[in-house]
């Protein structure tokens, strides 16, 4: 019979490298079975000081780890309860990486709802996990302090986006107010700390579609602030940005997160997301026509080459134009652990090259947001 309390002591074998235990970052591993625990621990032991603990054991962690890696079946209520029980301690780790075996929006959003800073779906992939752990994190984490967590707005927003995707996937009601409130908190945060700080924090903590939505929202807010839009338009802008890719909830993650080029069928599936998003939201009383318009048309171009309605020129509204520029820019500068980040200057140059598609005056106004704010 398996012991319910499997505690791995810090690794003794450093593979011959003369690295001392003292300088190796401490990683805490949690799993719902001894096999999974052993798999993750052995993947990390050469580079980290590792302590492992089964989720069904009494929580024992006393030292604050640099990172927590959790590999468990998140559809199990007992597992969720066990993770929640450790929430306070987990929150102190700079990185909380969830290895989710079932690659679905529900599994991934569940992980974010439980506080993941990064989710790696699919079978255990040692090199991906090591790359994620080696990714630069903040040099000095303030996480162990009892002061309010600096990433509160990020975590709230990531959770709002995660629950939005889950709701759509499961056909449950959307928390529109909660999502807008998360957008408002991003606006507060950016007003106070600036866009660069937001971009750095989000890129450090999240990946894939959620990171994208958080980046677009931040960029759109800062663009709106720089243009001096009024409060009502700013609200429309951040709400539209939070919801803009909600139609992606029906696209398999294998396509959404595919690193390489998409084939024709995959591209066709991706291009359905603005209309799908519009369909999800259109009957919701709290979603205004302006937000609906932006969700449906954020991939339209002034020259009529966009989708889904091939709109051109004047039929594309200002909020939509601002969102489209923010969306393209955010997509270019997003961070994936498998590729280098595109510098903001290079991303802005790409926007400048999209002659005829984007409003020239707006792209010019965007320069300050793109490069300096
Ligand atoms: Fe989109
Ligand atoms: Fe987008």
């Amino acid at each position: 019979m398996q012991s319910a309390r499997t505690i791995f002591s810090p690794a003794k074998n450093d593979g011959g490298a003369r690295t001392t235990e003292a300088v190796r970052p401490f990683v805490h591993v949690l799993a719902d079975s001894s096999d999974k625990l052993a798999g993750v621990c052995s993947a990390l032991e050469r580079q980290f000081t590792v302590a492992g603990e089964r989720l069904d054991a009494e929580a024992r962690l006393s030292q604050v780890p640099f990172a927590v890696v959790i590999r468990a079946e998140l559809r199990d209520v007992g597992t969720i309860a066990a993770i929640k029980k450790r929430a306070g301690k987990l929150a102190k780790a700079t990185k909380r990486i969830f290895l989710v075996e079932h690659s679905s929006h529900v599994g991934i959003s569940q992980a974010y709802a439980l506080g993941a800073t990064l989710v790696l779906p699919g079978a255990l992939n040692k090199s991906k996990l090591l790359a994620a752990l080696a990714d630069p994190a903040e040099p000095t984490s303030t996480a162990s302090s009892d002061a309010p967590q600096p990433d509160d707005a990020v975590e709230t927003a990531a959770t709002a986006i995660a629950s939005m995707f889950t709701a759509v996937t499961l056909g449950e009601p959307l928390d529109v107010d909660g999502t807008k409130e998360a957008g408002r908190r991003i606006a507060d945060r950016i007003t106070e700390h600036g866009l660069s700080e937001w971009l750095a924090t989000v890129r450090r903590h999240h990946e894939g579609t959620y990171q994208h939505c958080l980046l677009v929202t931040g960029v759109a807010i800062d663009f709106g602030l720089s243009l001096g839009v009024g409060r009502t338009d700013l609200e429309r802008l951040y709400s539209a940005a939070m919801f803009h890719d909600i139609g992606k909830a029906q696209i398999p993650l294998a396509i959404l997160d595919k690193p390489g080029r998409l084939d024709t069928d995959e591209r066709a599936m991706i291009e359905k997301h603005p209309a799908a998003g519009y369909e999800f939201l259109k009957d919701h009383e709290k979603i205004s026509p302006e937000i609906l318009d932006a969700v449906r048309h954020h991939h339209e171009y002034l020259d009529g080459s966009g989708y889904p309605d091939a709109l051109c020129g004047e039929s594309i509204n200002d909020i939509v134009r601002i969102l489209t520029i923010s969306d393209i820019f955010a997509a270019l500068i997003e961070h994936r652990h498998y590729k280098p980040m595109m510098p903001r200057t290079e991303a802005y140059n790409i926007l400048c090259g999209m002659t005829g598609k984007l409003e020239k005056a707006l792209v010019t106004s965007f320069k300050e947001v793109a490069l300096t704010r």
Side-chain angles (χ1 to χ4, degrees):
M1 208 177 87
Q2 279 181 340
S3 157
R5 183 175 293 183
T6 312
I7 304 286
F8 285 67
S9 51
K12 292 188 176 57
N13 176 10
D14 65 5
R18 297 311 306 152
T19 340
T20 60
E21 295 288 342
V23 298
R24 301 200 310 175
F26 175 48
V27 177
H28 193 60
V29 180
L30 294 165
D32 57 2
S33 79
S34 298
D35 284 354
K36 290 182 194 173
L37 193 61
V40 179
C41 288
S42 70
L44 301 178
E45 277 171 356
R46 282 178 73 105
Q47 295 184 24
F48 298 95
T49 299
V50 183
E53 184 177 309
R54 261 178 56 171
L55 280 161
D56 55 357
E58 221 25 65
R60 282 196 160 187
L61 183 64
S62 52
Q63 194 180 343
V64 173
F66 146 73
V68 179
V69 177
I70 299 178
R71 189 177 179 208
E73 171 53 79
L74 296 182
R75 290 178 297 189
D76 182 276
V77 284
T79 299
I80 291 171
I83 296 172
K84 282 186 175 165
K85 219 167 84 184
R86 292 166 169 85
K89 283 179 181 167
L90 297 185
K92 294 181 179 175
T94 303
K95 294 185 181 204
R96 298 179 290 279
I97 300 177
F98 281 57
L99 309 176
V100 176
E101 282 142 68
H102 294 276
S103 190
S104 69
H105 284 294
V106 179
I108 291 179
S109 47
Q110 178 66 269
Y112 278 115
L114 288 167
T117 56
L118 175 67
V119 181
L120 297 176
L124 173 64
N125 179 325
K126 185 178 166 182
S127 52
K128 257 189 183 176
L129 177 58
L130 289 173
L133 285 166
D135 234 13
E138 55 259 72
T140 48
S141 171
T142 49
S144 57
S145 126
D146 288 334
Q149 296 296 303
D151 291 349
D152 268 3
V154 190
E155 302 314 329
T156 308
T159 308
I161 288 172
S163 42
M164 176 176 100
F165 275 84
T166 309
V168 169
T169 312
L170 301 177
E172 289 171 354
L174 280 177
D175 178 10
V176 172
D177 290 336
T179 310
K180 287 183 179 176
E181 170 59 19
R184 192 191 59 73
R185 290 182 63 178
I186 300 176
D188 289 349
R189 166 95 168 227
I190 288 174
T191 307
E192 197 176 332
H193 300 286
L195 178 64
S196 296
E197 187 267 354
W198 176 255
L199 299 181
T201 310
V202 171
R203 288 192 288 195
R204 204 159 48 217
H205 285 286
H206 299 277
E207 201 151 314
T209 308
Y210 303 147
Q211 179 193 111
H212 171 70
C213 294
L214 297 171
L215 293 179
V216 175
T217 306
V219 172
I221 288 169
D222 200 53
F223 195 8
L225 291 172
S226 80
L227 292 169
V229 305
R231 205 175 135 229
T232 313
D233 276 339
L234 193 68
E235 274 175 29
R236 285 180 181 140
L237 204 48
Y238 64 64
S239 305
M242 289 291 280
F243 287 115
H244 84 285
D245 273 341
I246 193 174
K248 286 186 178 171
Q250 65 172 26
I251 303 173
L253 284 162
I255 297 178
L256 280 185
D257 293 338
K258 187 174 168 180
R261 263 196 120 68
L262 299 172
D263 66 30
T264 315
D265 290 347
E266 290 166 341
R267 171 109 332 257
M269 190 176 271
I270 292 270
E271 292 191 357
K272 284 182 184 159
H273 81 272
Y278 172 86
E279 290 300 320
F280 288 137
L281 299 172
K282 75 177 193 314
D283 296 323
H284 209 293
E285 51 172 347
K286 290 176 178 167
I287 300 282
S288 67
E290 292 84 1
I291 296 176
L292 276 181
D293 179 39
V295 169
R296 186 173 177 100
H297 295 128
H298 68 276
H299 287 284
E300 301 284 2
Y301 291 133
L302 297 176
D303 62 4
S305 64
Y307 59 90
D309 299 321
L311 296 185
C312 22
E314 293 311 306
S315 50
I316 304 174
N317 291 319
D318 288 346
I319 295 278
V320 185
R321 294 175 188 211
I322 294 173
L323 181 61
T324 302
I325 291 173
S326 308
D327 183 37
I328 299 169
F329 184 74
L332 291 169
I333 61 160
E334 73 185 27
H335 170 250
R336 297 275 173 126
H337 63 269
Y338 53 79
K339 65 168 182 123
M341 255 181 325
M342 183 184 284
R344 287 164 71 171
T345 333
E346 200 180 325
Y348 182 66
N349 287 339
I350 291 177
L351 285 178
C352 292
M354 294 178 70
T355 326
K357 295 182 185 298
L358 307 172
E359 186 183 322
K360 204 167 172 235
L362 268 184
V363 174
T364 306
S365 308
F366 186 67
K367 186 171 184 179
E368 204 196 326
V369 177
L371 304 184
T372 56
R373 283 165 71 99

